[in-house]
C-alpha cells in the first residue's frame, strides 16, 4: 500500500538552473517596479523604443540576478537561500512601492535596529495580500520542487554553460543600456538602491563590513572628566535645550539675513537672535553633521579623528544631561551611537509621512509630553529634512507654496531657475513655520521649564549660480552659498536669567563671524558641563555669561 507521505500529490521536477531562471524572471518582473519607474521616467510610453528599452532593462535585471545567484546557489543551498531572498524581496518591494524607500545600507541598518513597537506600526494590513502573492505562493512552489540530481561533472558543465549565457546576455543588454543608465545614475544615483533583491544583499553586506570595521575600532571616548557645573545646583526649573540641525538651508535666502524675499516671516515676529555670519564645517551632511559635534572641526579638520571619536552628545550624557536625538533624515552619522534616539518615520506622525519621508513638523510629535515630564538638564537634537534637494517641493505642505511657479519635478533640469528658487524658498518658509511652532510649544511651558532653541543648518546649496546646483563641492573651492548657513537662537523668559546670560550681549555676538566650530563649546557652556575639552574662546556665549559664573569656571 503506497504511503501518502512518500508520494506528494503535487511536485515539480526541475534542475537548479531551471529554478534560477524562473526566479530571475520573477524577481525582474515583480520586485523591480520602482526601478522600472525610475529608469523609464521621461520616456514616452507611446514610443516603441520605450518598450524595447523596458525589455532590455528586464533582460538585464534577470541576467544579472541569475548570474549572481548561480554563483552561490547549488542543490543544497538553493531552497533555504532562495527562500530567504524571496521573502526579503517581498518585504522590500512592498516598502519601496508603498513608501518610496530606497534599500541602502542606512535603511538596512534602520530595519535591523527596528524595535517591536516600530515594527508593529510598519506591518500594516495591506502587507498581507502582498506577502501572499509575492512570498507565500512562490515559497510554496519552491517547497514543492524536486531537484534533478545529476553526476557532478555534468552538473558543473551545465552550470558553466548557464553562467556563460547569463554573462553574455547581461553584457549585451548593458551595452544597449549604457547611455541611458549612465544618465539615470548621474541624475538619480540612488536608483541603484531600487534593484531588488540585489539591493538587500548588497546593503546587508555593507552593514556587515562596516560593523566589522567598527567592531575592530571602537569610538575613542572623549571628555571622560565631564561633570555638572556649579549652575546645576542653583537651577529651580528643568532646562531643555533644543538643537535643531537644519538641512541645506543657505544664509543667502534667509529672510532674517535681509534676503529680498521674506522667507522667515514667523521668526521675524518673534524675539529671536539671528546670527548672520555663520560658516559650515563641510558642504555635505556626511561631513558637517559629525563635525558639528566634535571639539575641533573645520579649523583643524581631521575626518578620521572625528569619525573615530565620541561626540559632544556622549560628553554631555556623561555629565548627566539627558540626551535624545530625533531624526527626520538619514540618521545621526554615529554622533548619537548608543544614546537615546528615534525617527519621525517610525513614530508615524499622523498625516505627515508618505513615500518614506515625513514633513519636519513630525519632529515636534510628543514634545508636549516630553516637556511635561522634563527633569534636570536635557538636550533634544532635532535633525531636519529641511531643504533636502533636489525635490524641494516635497519638503513642504501645499499651503506653503507661496512663491510660484515652483519647480515640481524631481529632475531640476526640467525647471527654470526661477521655479527652482521658488520651491527652495517655499521649503524655507516651512522651516520658519516649524521653528516658530517649536518656540510656541516651549514658550507655553516656560513657567515650568526653562528652554533654549538653537537652530543651525548643516551646509548651504547652489541654486544655479555659475550653473552649479545642489552641494558637496570640495570645501576649498565651494562657493559661499554652500558654506554660509543660517543660525537662530531663542531663549524662554526664564532661561536668560537662569543661565546668567545677558541678552543684549548675545545680540552683539550675533553679528560676529561664527561657525560650526563654536557649537561644541557653546553647548558645553550653555548646559554648564565642565571638562578639560571646553575652550572658552570657541563659546560664543561665554562673554555674555554673568561674571560670577565666569569666575566659577
Ligand atoms: Zn545636509
Amino acid at each position: 500500500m503506497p504511503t501518502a507521505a512518500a508520494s506528494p500529490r503535487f511536485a515539480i521536477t526541475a534542475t537548479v538552473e531551471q529554478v534560477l531562471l524562473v526566479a530571475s524572471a520573477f524577481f525582474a518582473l515583480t520586485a523591480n517596479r520602482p526601478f522600472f519607474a525610475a529608469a523609464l521616467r521621461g520616456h514616452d510610453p507611446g514610443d516603441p523604443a520605450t518598450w524595447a528599452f523596458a525589455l532590455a532593462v528586464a533582460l538585464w535585471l534577470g541576467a544579472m540576478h541569475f548570474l549572481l545567484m548561480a554563483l552561490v546557489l547549488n542543490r543544497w543551498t538553493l531552497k533555504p537561500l532562495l527562500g530567504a531572498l524571496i521573502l526579503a524581496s517581498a518585504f522590500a518591494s512592498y516598502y519601496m512601492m508603498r513608501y518610496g524607500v530606497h534599500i541602502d545600507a542606512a535603511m538596512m541598518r534602520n530595519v535591523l535596529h527596528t524595535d517591536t513597537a516600530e515594527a508593529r506600526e510598519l506591518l500594516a494590513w495591506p502587507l498581507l495580500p502582498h506577502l501572499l502573492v509575492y512570498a507565500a505562493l512562490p515559497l510554496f512552489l519552491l517547497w514543492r520542487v524536486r531537484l534533478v540530481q545529476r553526476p557532478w561533472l555534468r552538473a558543473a558543465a551545465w552550470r558553466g554553460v548557464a553562467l556563460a549565457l547569463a554573462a553574455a546576455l547581461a553584457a549585451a543588454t548593458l551595452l544597449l543600456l549604457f547611455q541611458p543608465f549612465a544618465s539615470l545614475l548621474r541624475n538619480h544615483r540612488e536608483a541603484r538602491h531600487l534593484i531588488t533583491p540585489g539591493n538587500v544583499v548588497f546593503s546587508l553586506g555593507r552593514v556587515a563590513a562596516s560593523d566589522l570595521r567598527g567592531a575592530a575600532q571602537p569610538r575613542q571616548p572623549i571628555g571622560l572628566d565631564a561633570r555638572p557645573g556649579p549652575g546645576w545646583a542653583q537651577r529651580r526649573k528643568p532646562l531643555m535645550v533644543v538643537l535643531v540641525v537644519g538641512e541645506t538651508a543657505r544664509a543667502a535666502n534667509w529672510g532674517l539675513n535681509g534676503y529680498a524675499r521674506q522667507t522667515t516671516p514667523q521668526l521675524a515676529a518673534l524675539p529671536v537672535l539671528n546670527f548672520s555670519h555663520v560658516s559650515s564645517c563641510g558642504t555635505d551632511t556626511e561631513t558637517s553633521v559629525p563635525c558639528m559635534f566634535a571639539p575641533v572641526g573645520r579649523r583643524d579638520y581631521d575626518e578620521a579623528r572625528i569619525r573615530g571619536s565620541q561626540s559632544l552628545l556622549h560628553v554631555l550624557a556623561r555629565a548627566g544631561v539627558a540626551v535624545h536625538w530625533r531624526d527626520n533624515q538619514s540618521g545621526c552619522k554615529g554622533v548619537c551611537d548608543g544614546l537615546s534616539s528615534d525617527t519621525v518615520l517610525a513614530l508615524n506622525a499622523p498625516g505627515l509621512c508618505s513615500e518614506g519621508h515625513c514633513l519636519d513638523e513630525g519632529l515636534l510629535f510628543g514634545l508636549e509630553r516630553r516637556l511635561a515630564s522634563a527633569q534636570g538638564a536635557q538636550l533634544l537634537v532635532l535633525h531636519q529634512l529641511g531643504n533636502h534637494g533636489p525635490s524641494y517641493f516635497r519638503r513642504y505642505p501645499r499651503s506653503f507654496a507661496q512663491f510660484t511657479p515652483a519647480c515640481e519635478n524631481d529632475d531640476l533640469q526640467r525647471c527654470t531657475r526661477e521655479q527652482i528658487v521658488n520651491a527652495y524658498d517655499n521649503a524655507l518658509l516651512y522651516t520658519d513655520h516649524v521653528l516658530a511652532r517649536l518656540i510656541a510649544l516651549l514658550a507655553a511651558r516656560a513657567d515650568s521649564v526653562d528652554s533654549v532653541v538653537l537652530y543651525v543648518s548643516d551646509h548651504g546649496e547652489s541654486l544655479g549660480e555659475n550653473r552649479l546646483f545642489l552641494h558637496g563641492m570640495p570645501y576649498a573651492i565651494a562657493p559661499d552659498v554652500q558654506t554660509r548657513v543660517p543660525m537662530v537662537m531663542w531663549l524662554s523668559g526664564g532661561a536668560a536669567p537662569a543661565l546668567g546670560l545677558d541678552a543684549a550681549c548675545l545680540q552683539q555676538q550675533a553679528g560676529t563671524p561664527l561657525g560650526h566650530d563654536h557649537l561644541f563649546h557653546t553647548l558645553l557652556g550653555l548646559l554648564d558641563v565642565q571638562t578639560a575639552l571646553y575652550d572658552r574662546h570657541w563659546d560664543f556665549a561665554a562673554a555674555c555669561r554673568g561674571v560670577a559664573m565666569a569666575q566659577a569656571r
Side-chain angles (χ1 to χ4, degrees):
M1 204 176 111
T3 61
S7 60
R9 254 167 282 157
F10 168 60
I12 312 161
T13 309
T15 65
V16 173
E17 287 77 16
Q18 285 169 334
V19 175
L20 291 184
L21 189 63
V22 174
S24 306
F26 173 76
F27 286 141
L29 297 177
T30 65
N32 283 282
R33 265 157 53 192
F35 182 71
F36 276 106
L40 294 171
R41 195 175 292 151
H43 288 252
D44 174 12
D47 187 351
T50 301
W51 292 91
F53 175 66
L55 179 67
V57 172
L59 286 173
W60 178 76
L61 282 172
M64 284 303 290
H65 279 110
F66 184 95
L67 202 57
L68 297 174
M69 290 192 293
L71 287 172
V72 289
L73 298 185
N74 54 40
R75 236 172 63 214
W76 298 278
T77 58
L78 179 82
K79 286 196 177 184
L81 290 184
L82 184 56
L85 274 184
I86 289 171
L87 202 58
S89 297
F91 273 101
S93 62
Y94 174 80
Y95 288 108
M96 288 192 311
M97 284 190 267
R98 194 166 178 86
Y99 297 114
V101 302
H102 290 64
I103 310 291
D104 57 7
M107 180 58 67
M108 198 48 72
R109 222 175 256 287
N110 273 328
V111 172
L112 296 173
H113 293 170
T114 298
D115 63 36
T116 46
E118 291 169 346
R120 220 178 302 126
E121 289 178 356
L122 282 170
L123 297 175
W125 282 113
L127 179 60
L128 205 63
H130 180 92
L131 287 182
L132 276 177
V133 176
Y134 295 105
L137 185 64
L139 283 175
F140 174 74
L141 295 175
L142 178 65
W143 176 52
R144 306 276 35 180
V145 165
R146 196 186 302 143
L147 288 172
V148 176
Q149 298 198 19
R150 282 187 295 218
W152 75 268
L153 203 62
R154 262 184 68 198
W158 269 104
R159 183 58 60 93
V161 170
L163 279 170
L165 284 176
L169 182 60
T173 44
L174 187 60
L175 224 57
L176 282 174
L177 294 169
F178 189 76
Q179 201 56 40
F181 269 17
S183 101
L184 172 69
L185 291 179
R186 195 168 50 240
N187 292 323
H188 305 279
R189 261 179 68 75
E190 69 286 355
R192 68 192 191 283
H193 299 308
L194 297 173
I195 297 173
T196 316
N199 53 1
V200 177
V201 177
F202 185 75
S203 308
L204 273 177
R206 286 206 43 192
V207 170
S210 91
D211 280 1
L212 282 176
R213 266 200 312 277
Q217 287 173 315
R219 278 176 194 271
Q220 212 56 43
I222 59 169
L224 292 171
D225 59 341
R227 62 182 188 283
W232 287 49
Q234 294 157 25
R235 267 186 228 133
R236 283 177 301 135
K237 286 189 266 180
L239 172 66
M240 161 111 47
V241 175
V242 184
L243 174 64
V244 183
V245 177
E247 175 60 52
T248 318
R250 66 185 213 179
N253 288 42
W254 194 243
L256 288 170
N257 285 342
Y259 179 47
R261 272 176 174 171
Q262 182 47 290
T263 51
T264 53
Q266 297 191 41
L267 287 174
L270 290 167
V272 296
L273 295 156
N274 181 61
F275 297 77
S276 49
H277 297 93
V278 180
S279 48
S280 66
C281 174
T283 62
D284 60 57
T285 311
E286 292 290 332
T287 307
S288 278
V289 170
C291 186
M292 291 162 87
F293 294 86
V296 178
R298 175 49 52 189
R299 62 189 180 278
D300 191 12
Y301 188 70
D302 181 348
E303 185 183 337
R305 192 170 84 186
I306 292 174
R307 288 191 182 278
S309 304
Q310 291 186 339
S311 76
L312 168 70
L313 303 186
H314 298 99
V315 180
L316 294 174
R318 195 164 286 133
V321 178
V323 175
H324 182 79
W325 181 288
R326 174 165 290 177
D327 208 274
N328 194 29
Q329 211 207 104
S330 52
C332 73
K333 317 291 171 196
V335 165
C336 64
D337 278 5
L339 299 170
S340 165
S341 69
D342 60 9
T343 69
V344 178
L345 192 59
L347 291 167
N348 210 357
L352 294 175
C353 300
S354 75
E355 296 181 2
H357 287 305
C358 302
L359 292 169
D360 276 331
E361 273 173 295
L363 289 165
L364 310 179
F365 193 69
L367 183 64
E368 278 143 328
R369 232 175 311 132
R370 189 176 285 275
L371 280 165
S373 61
Q375 285 175 11
Q378 295 201 31
L379 176 67
L380 174 62
V381 186
L382 304 178
H383 189 200
Q384 277 194 297
L385 192 53
N387 276 43
H388 200 287
S391 309
Y392 310 119
F393 72 102
R394 298 188 189 280
R395 304 288 97 92
Y396 52 86
R398 302 296 303 175
S399 53
F400 285 81
Q402 185 184 316
F403 303 115
T404 55
C407 176
E408 301 208 339
N409 199 304
D410 294 309
D411 186 358
L412 291 180
Q413 308 300 326
R414 291 169 186 267
C415 293
T416 65
R417 237 206 104 199
E418 187 206 358
Q419 291 170 328
I420 293 168
V421 173
N422 284 342
Y424 183 86
D425 287 347
N426 287 335
L428 285 182
L429 278 177
Y430 183 57
T431 285
D432 170 65
H433 169 71
V434 172
L435 293 174
R437 259 203 69 198
L438 167 65
I439 290 170
L441 283 167
L442 295 170
R445 278 272 171 186
D447 54 336
S448 52
V449 182
D450 290 326
S451 50
V452 179
V453 172
L454 186 60
Y455 162 82
V456 60
S457 177
D458 64 343
H459 52 75
E461 184 86 321
S462 283
L463 294 172
E465 297 85 4
N466 300 314
R467 304 177 73 184
L468 283 175
F469 288 92
L470 305 176
H471 55 263
M473 288 278 280
Y475 201 87
I477 56 165
D480 279 357
V481 285
Q482 292 192 22
T483 59
R484 293 291 170 82
V485 290
M487 182 160 95
V488 166
M489 191 177 187
W490 173 87
L491 296 116
S492 70
L499 300 176
L501 285 169
D502 176 355
C505 167
L506 277 176
Q507 188 70 58
Q508 276 183 351
Q509 287 292 323
T512 61
L514 298 171
H516 281 168
D517 281 25
H518 287 87
L519 288 176
F520 186 95
H521 305 279
T522 304
L523 283 162
L524 279 177
L526 277 178
L527 284 154
D528 194 19
V529 166
Q530 299 196 331
T531 159
L533 287 171
Y534 175 75
D535 184 344
R536 196 171 187 276
H537 175 73
W538 293 96
D539 175 355
F540 68 71
C544 304
R545 234 185 308 275
V547 179
M549 289 186 80
Q551 277 172 347
R553 222 159 262 285

